[in-house]
Amino acid sequence: MEEFHRIRRLPPYVFESVNKAKAAARNAGADIIDLGMGNPDLPAPAHVLEKLKETIGKPRTDRYSASKGIAGLRRAQAGYYARRFNIKLNPDTQIVATLGSKEGFANVAAAITAPGDVILAPNPSYPIHAFGFLMAGGVIRSVPSEPGPKFFEALERACKHSIPRPLALVICYPSNPTAYVADLDFYKDVVAFAKKHSLIVLSDLAYAEVYFDDNPPPSLLQVPGAMDVAVEFTSMSKTYSMPGWRMGFAVGNERIIGALGRVKSYLDYGAFTPIQVAATAALNGPDDCIAEMREIYKRRRDVMVESFGRAGWDIPPPRASMFAWAPLPDPFRDMGSVEFSTLLVENAGVAVAPGIGFGEHGEGFIRIALVENEQRIRQAARNIRRFLETAPEKLHNVVPLANRR
């Protein structure tokens, strides 16, 4: 039978071969050190868990909730933005609680995109940044992920040559998967460009609190006038180690937030109320759990860079996010990232994410997630060292990427 229209617009799932290799190895009894999916392994803060337990079973908490989030949760998010970024938000008109930032992106795409609308999205980038709009009937035009002159040159070309003119620009800093970080001057230029070309800007700030120097990543909305054109998405998943709770936010421009809220009102009744109450406690609570999370990821990053480097694979140290974006090791530079990632599972017992899964410009790279403890990361490095020492025989039957038909 012919595939449905929207399913045809989605490419094959490029992580599938790595997942199959991982499953086969585990079924055979292998211990796989999984650095592939960005799935935090740290526990949620104790006071958040206690609030969840306290709320479950209370009168009315099992009933339908509010699709845009309970009032207290939206006020708590406004308080976070005021403390962290010195940004004043109206909880009633400028904030919507989402089922994670991923759902927020998908539903804002449905809210603003007409068939054929052109969306500017970074490449490589987190898949929902492009595919949310593809599923909504939009057309993607890629721009570089790295903030800098080439980014704006690509924007200029896109606005000059795209028909119709682009509707929206997606940005993500700290970036998943590349770990690039943007500063406030870059955001000022983005806002100025968006106003000049009548662009909506959708900023993914999911990794705002995962940084490893003394420069906390800024918010796009700190730029004067940004609220006229922009909406920003954040998530509880990484900041509070609550990925399975599915809680995030969209904040910013009232018109776009209103459109997102209206779409959500037809699709869901919001997260389970006790989860929203616990998320409120997280946002209103102490920040020491955030600092502890940040320090754990920093130590893991340092261990990974040091131990993988000694194993023969130099990993550029990320300034932020919970990922490293690494070029394939020298003996494997002519191999595709999927093939390398599959070999790594089969021969080193280490799973990583192939770069091509984040866009064609991710080929030649892999993403490493800091989701195992320091001991496991060192074990991964030892496994990789042994694998690299036998690299010539592993490459014997592999066809270089450039020679394939």
Side-chain angles (χ1 to χ4, degrees), residues 102-294:
K102 191 174 185 178
E103 176 266 320
F105 259 95
N107 279 331
V108 85
I112 70 173
T113 310
D117 276 345
V118 175
I119 309 298
L120 308 179
N123 188 339
S125 194
Y126 188 52
I128 197 64
H129 295 156
F131 295 123
F133 293 95
L134 285 174
M135 286 187 284
V139 175
I140 297 299
R141 181 159 182 157
S142 295
V143 297
S145 296
E146 186 171 8
K150 290 184 178 180
F151 176 87
F152 289 102
E153 290 168 8
L155 293 189
E156 290 282 2
R157 288 194 301 271
C159 288
K160 182 178 180 180
H161 298 294
S162 296
I163 300 174
R165 294 175 65 83
L167 169 73
L169 165 66
V170 177
I171 56 176
C172 176
Y173 303 104
S175 171
N176 176 10
T178 62
Y180 292 134
V181 179
D183 59 23
L184 206 52
D185 287 338
F186 173 80
Y187 283 148
K188 288 176 181 176
D189 290 340
V190 167
V191 170
F193 187 94
K195 290 193 170 189
K196 177 181 177 182
H197 295 277
S198 300
L199 282 172
I200 293 168
V201 183
L202 304 171
S203 170
D204 187 342
L205 193 62
Y207 297 91
E209 301 300 342
V210 190
Y211 58 91
F212 307 129
D213 54 25
D214 296 326
N215 297 301
S219 162
L220 172 76
L221 298 179
Q222 289 176 256
V223 176
M227 210 76 71
D228 298 335
V229 296
V231 163
E232 193 157 69
F233 297 83
T234 57
S235 170
M236 308 287 285
S237 297
K238 310 308 187 294
T239 303
Y240 294 97
S241 298
M242 296 165 60
W245 299 50
R246 305 316 302 136
M247 181 55 61
F249 300 92
V251 309
N253 179 269
E254 290 189 8
R255 175 171 172 255
I256 303 169
I257 291 296
L260 172 59
R262 186 170 181 184
V263 166
K264 281 178 62 64
S265 71
Y266 282 92
L267 297 177
D268 70 70
Y269 289 104
F272 184 39
T273 296
I275 288 178
Q276 296 193 55
V277 173
T280 303
L283 290 166
N284 289 336
D287 288 343
D288 55 340
C289 57
I290 301 176
E292 182 180 353
M293 169 276 299
R294 188 183 299 129

Side-chain angles (χ1 to χ4, degrees), residues 17 55 105 145 153 165 178 188 248 325 327 335 341 348-349 372 386:
S17 63
T55 309
F105 259 95
S145 296
E153 290 168 8
R165 294 175 65 83
T178 62
K188 288 176 181 176
W325 184 242
M335 179 186 293
S341 300
E372 293 271 12
R386 289 192 290 270

Side-chain angles (χ1 to χ4, degrees), residues 7 85 159 283 295 315 351 370 395 405:
I7 301 304
F85 304 113
C159 288
L283 290 166
E295 186 58 34
I315 308 292
L370 302 172
L395 288 167
R405 294 291 184 267

Side-chain angles (χ1 to χ4, degrees), residues 335-354:
M335 179 186 293
S337 58
V338 171
E339 290 82 353
F340 171 76
S341 300
T342 303
L343 276 181
L344 202 61
V345 170
E346 294 171 344
N347 295 278
V350 177
V352 295

